[in-house]
Amino acid sequence: MPIRAVAFDLDDTLYPEHAYVESGFAAVARAFADRLAAPFDLLDRMKALAASPDRGRVFNMICAEARVAEPDALAAEMVDAYRRHVPNITLFPDAAAALARLHGRYRLALISDGYAVSQNAKLDTLGIRPAFDAVYLTDDWGRQFWKPHPRAFEAVMQRFALPAPACAYVSDNPAKDFVAPNALGWRTVRVLRPGGVYADATAPPGGEPSATVPSLDVLEAVLAG
Ligand SMILES: [Mg+2]
């Protein structure tokens, strides 16, 4: 059955996620420099922590190292500022080209996890909402509906009135992205760019993509195959 609907992931599929992390750290550093009065460069320290085993608690570490009075409360404020910042991000060139090429030839959807406030800010900055016939931010339904929950994939089929074999999902992280669409019977395509955040991620049972491409420049070849 030919593919008639293509759903895309957002982070590291359509734009480089490292750019979001960097713009978030820069925004937090600007907003909190005065209150932290840290004896080190905030932005440099955040980047170093993000590349360390403490990458999951960058702001807690910063507050502890700066010896602030109430580190947990301030770290929570920093997390919130990070998630709400207006990001400085742009589409991968091959993603912009692919969305333009596929427009009008396929029904196009976006399926993305992540905090809704952050994902909405990314979509606003990228200006790509008009590129899609449907946008599903799983966080709008709640954390339990993030991938690998199938709800967003079922919503795409219902919205476009298409069976699973007519749908494809294009994404970057085999650890969680392909389990649900594979189980439904979608075609799944992994974009594997050098240096991607999940370039080394491995798939759980049932999570292997149907095809892997080095960039979205060759997407139609695997959609047709
Ligand atoms: Mg992703």
Side-chain angles (χ1 to χ4, degrees), residues 11-140:
D11 301 306
D12 249 12
T13 295
L14 297 181
Y15 82 94
E17 192 165 3
H18 72 82
Y20 178 82
V21 174
E22 284 167 24
S23 79
F25 285 166
V28 171
R30 280 195 304 274
F32 289 83
D34 290 349
R35 290 171 67 185
L36 277 160
F40 47 79
D41 184 88
L42 268 184
L43 187 53
D44 287 348
R45 187 65 189 134
M46 287 177 193
K47 288 181 181 174
L49 286 166
S52 81
D54 286 314
R55 66 176 62 86
R57 42 199 301 270
V58 168
F59 300 129
N60 296 84
M61 294 295 293
I62 289 282
C63 289
E65 292 175 0
R67 299 178 182 282
V68 301
E70 296 190 57
D72 291 350
L74 191 58
E77 277 189 59
M78 294 169 79
V79 170
D80 191 58
Y82 177 89
R83 288 184 187 153
R84 293 178 183 281
H85 90 281
V86 176
N88 179 17
I89 53 176
T90 54
L91 292 175
F92 284 120
D94 62 298
L99 289 175
R101 283 197 316 274
L102 268 56
H103 190 81
R105 297 171 53 201
Y106 299 87
R107 306 305 300 275
L108 298 182
L110 184 91
I111 295 176
S112 176
D113 290 340
Y115 296 97
V117 64
S118 306
Q119 302 312 86
N120 276 307
K122 293 169 186 174
L123 291 177
D124 289 342
T125 292
L126 294 171
I128 53 171
R129 286 180 209 272
F132 301 104
D133 301 296
V135 171
Y136 296 100
L137 301 180
T138 54
D139 199 46
D140 286 338

Side-chain angles (χ1 to χ4, degrees), residues 9-13 17 147 169 171-173 176-177 198:
D9 168 57
L10 179 59
D11 301 306
D12 249 12
T13 295
E17 192 165 3
K147 294 174 280 187
Y169 189 49
S171 193
D172 68 292
N173 183 359
K176 66 166 185 166
D177 289 343
Y198 299 105

Side-chain angles (χ1 to χ4, degrees), residues 169-188:
Y169 189 49
V170 181
S171 193
D172 68 292
N173 183 359
K176 66 166 185 166
D177 289 343
F178 305 123
V179 172
N182 280 348
L184 289 168
W186 288 37
R187 193 167 305 168
T188 50

